[in-house]
Amino acid sequence: MIRVMVVATSPVVRAGLSAVVTTNPRLTVVGSASDLDVLASEVGQLQPDVVLVDLSGNFQQAVWEKLLIIQEQQYPFGIIVIVEELDSIDLETALRSGIRGILPSTSTESEIVAAVEAIAFGLLVLHPNAVELLSIREKVVTNPVQSLTPREIEVLGMLGSGLGNKAIAKRLHISEHTVKFHLSSIFQKLSVSSRTEAVAVGVRLGLIML
């Protein structure tokens, strides 16, 4: 049996997704949660193989970091998210944060069940429209200042002070893996490939004060 946990703000959506999952005799719902805080407190005890998270109508960019931290604090499990609009999220950041499946809210019951099964077996599941978005995404950032999150700007400033990953992790009370996640996002958004380049761009943009 594949153990599934359902996360959704709406009780109706939670019940609906749970009903979809249980249409397959190989899947069982071991629990549900109304938000990521509840997920963090219960996932260790429930030990699901796959967590199905509904983000439609309630998406915030910080969700990727939260999901990454939950996995680090608990254990690796497959995460599939359902979003209202595929082009409203940063797919590359989502995948770097450990998401293994991304589906639109228009997905059918059979598509959701198939995705849960595939992720449980270690596969990556993307809707065809998501793959198309990845292939045509431009690498040139027109306004990196607006796209960097407050935490990324904080990490960039620490890079400018010469701090290494371990020192940054200790100062921010996060793991080194999370620091690497932020650095990867910063490098992508600033179109750089090294810490030195990132600092140079940060200084030029006024994000780092010397």
Side-chain angles (χ1 to χ4, degrees):
M1 294 290 288
I2 298 172
R3 298 168 60 84
V4 182
M5 187 169 180
V6 175
V7 181
T9 303
S10 166
V12 175
V13 174
R14 286 200 303 276
L17 289 176
S18 296
V20 168
V21 170
T22 54
T23 58
N24 188 316
R26 294 185 295 274
L27 309 181
T28 181
V29 177
V30 296
S32 63
S34 58
D35 55 44
L36 297 185
D37 291 331
V38 177
L39 171 65
S41 65
E42 297 184 358
V43 70
Q45 178 182 354
L46 296 174
Q47 296 284 304
D49 301 304
V50 177
V51 174
L52 179 59
V53 183
D54 174 65
L55 296 177
S56 57
N58 190 37
F59 173 71
Q60 296 179 350
Q61 195 65 36
V63 70
W64 310 131
E65 183 179 352
K66 287 183 179 179
L67 288 172
L68 177 63
I69 292 174
I70 291 172
Q71 290 181 88
E72 290 180 343
Q73 293 175 341
Q74 301 294 336
Y75 67 97
F77 51 84
I79 300 176
I80 177 170
V81 296
I82 297 176
V83 297
E84 199 158 9
E85 298 290 343
L86 289 171
D87 57 3
S88 68
I89 67 173
D90 187 333
L91 295 172
E92 294 177 18
T93 299
L95 294 175
R96 285 200 303 272
S97 68
I99 305 303
R100 289 295 169 261
I102 301 174
L103 292 177
S105 56
T106 54
S107 297
T108 64
E109 293 185 6
S110 59
E111 287 173 338
I112 293 174
V113 168
V116 170
E117 281 197 286
I119 291 168
F121 288 109
L123 300 178
L124 180 67
V125 177
L126 291 177
H127 189 273
N129 292 345
V131 176
E132 182 179 350
L133 284 173
L134 281 173
S135 65
I136 66 175
R137 183 179 296 275
E138 294 183 3
K139 297 300 181 181
V140 179
V141 178
T142 57
N143 197 337
V145 178
Q146 290 185 0
S147 62
L148 286 181
T149 65
R151 177 50 65 87
E152 289 167 351
I153 292 175
E154 193 174 12
V155 171
L156 182 59
M158 292 182 183
L159 282 184
S161 299
L163 297 181
N165 289 5
K166 183 177 291 187
I168 294 174
K170 184 175 181 180
R171 185 167 296 187
L172 296 178
H173 305 291
I174 58 179
S175 70
E176 287 188 61
H177 186 67
T178 302
V179 173
K180 291 179 181 177
F181 167 77
H182 288 310
L183 290 178
S184 176
S185 180
I186 290 169
F187 286 5
Q188 176 197 349
K189 291 177 179 179
L190 297 183
S191 298
V192 299
S193 57
S194 70
R195 299 164 73 97
T196 302
E197 284 183 293
V199 171
V201 173
V203 171
R204 189 169 69 246
L205 295 173
L207 299 174
I208 298 177
M209 303 304 293
L210 298 180

